[in-house]
Amino acid sequence: MTLLDEARSRRIPLQLYWPEQTKSKLKLAILSHGYKVSHTAYTFIATNLAERGYYVVSILHELPGDEPIPTTGKPYEVRMPNWQRGAATILYTLQSLQKQKPDLDFKHVLLVGHSNGGDMSMLFAQQYPELVSQVISLDNRRMPLPRSYKPRILSIRSSDQPADPGVLPTREEQKRYKIKIITLTNTIHNDMCDEGTQAQKEEINALINSFIQ
């Protein structure tokens, strides 16, 4: 499916996944990819969520002609326009699905984002906490996790790419807001997609499944 946000003159290509059979209303999961990684490169997560009753929408955020992500300057400042564009795309996708798929469960929306897509997802959660039930970050490194009770947050961390100062909550904040931070000792940042080993993918999915129960 491809949406068109006329206000921004922007196409929004989507890859969709859903269970073959369902007995109840499908929850919605929106998946955002890492920079220079295809939105179709997370099938292990998308199919896992679909098997658990989710209608999964994987968004292609980076289009031909888009400005490259800045590599100099303070990441939080210079990359914010990219995240804002991503958050606007997530919002438009959500609003469009509410019109096109009104039978979905929009009270339990799950966001999943890897790397730069995780930064977008965390910005969206900060801006629109009432629209999201849960957020899962796969190693987002720049956008601080919201310090709030809603939405529920899980951040799965790699063994090789540390987050910028202030991105991750302190132990006290994790306890207060019930934020889960889990580091994978045998998985690097670039393995958090279909390029990872079967064991790595199974470990990530096990953490996701435990969180969304």
Side-chain angles (χ1 to χ4, degrees):
M1 179 188 294
T2 298
L3 304 175
L4 176 61
D5 184 347
E6 295 183 355
R8 296 187 296 156
S9 299
R10 186 171 182 83
R11 294 184 306 109
I12 305 174
L14 309 174
Q15 186 77 10
L16 308 176
Y17 308 78
W18 60 86
E20 293 183 5
Q21 298 179 347
T22 180
K23 297 180 180 179
S24 59
K25 204 170 189 178
L26 295 180
K27 296 179 182 180
L28 175 63
I30 296 181
L31 181 58
S32 297
H33 59 87
Y35 188 61
K36 290 189 176 180
V37 183
S38 172
H39 67 313
T40 63
Y42 302 87
T43 58
F44 79 100
I45 293 175
T47 55
N48 171 68
L49 290 172
E51 290 170 358
R52 280 151 184 80
Y54 280 85
Y55 187 88
V56 185
V57 178
S58 186
I59 299 174
L60 177 59
H61 285 282
E62 307 299 334
L63 303 180
D66 284 349
E67 289 289 329
I69 195 170
T71 56
T72 59
K74 295 181 180 180
Y76 179 82
E77 297 176 358
V78 299
R79 297 187 183 183
M80 181 59 72
N82 181 282
W83 305 337
Q84 291 172 333
R85 185 185 69 200
T89 296
I90 293 172
L91 179 62
Y92 184 84
T93 300
L94 183 58
Q95 292 172 336
S96 297
L97 289 171
Q98 286 176 324
K99 297 176 182 177
Q100 298 182 24
K101 302 284 185 180
D103 55 328
L104 295 177
D105 178 2
F106 291 96
K107 293 182 179 180
H108 299 90
V109 175
L110 167 67
L111 299 186
V112 182
H114 175 221
S115 192
N116 195 60
D119 290 323
M120 294 175 183
S121 299
M122 288 302 169
L123 176 61
F124 186 92
Q126 182 184 87
Q127 292 178 330
Y128 306 103
E130 73 282 0
L131 299 181
V132 187
S133 177
Q134 299 171 313
V135 187
I136 299 175
S137 144
L138 301 174
D139 223 29
N140 79 295
R141 301 175 54 210
R142 313 297 187 181
M143 178 67 201
L145 275 61
R147 272 59 164 181
S148 60
Y149 296 102
K150 188 179 184 305
R152 293 178 57 234
I153 294 175
L154 165 65
S155 186
I156 303 174
R157 315 304 306 175
S158 72
S159 61
D160 69 325
Q161 296 286 343
D164 288 351
V167 169
L168 300 180
T170 64
R171 290 187 179 276
E172 180 180 341
E173 289 172 331
Q174 292 174 43
K175 183 177 180 180
R176 179 179 180 182
Y177 298 111
K178 298 183 179 179
I179 299 172
K180 293 184 178 294
I181 310 292
I182 299 175
T183 300
L184 305 181
T185 57
N186 296 312
T187 298
I188 64 173
H189 183 85
N190 290 341
D191 287 340
M192 292 179 158
C193 62
D194 288 344
E195 295 297 320
T197 67
Q198 185 62 28
Q200 289 171 326
K201 290 184 280 191
E202 288 177 358
E203 183 177 24
I204 290 172
N205 275 338
L207 292 172
I208 290 173
N209 294 345
S210 178
F211 178 71
I212 64 176
Q213 286 181 348

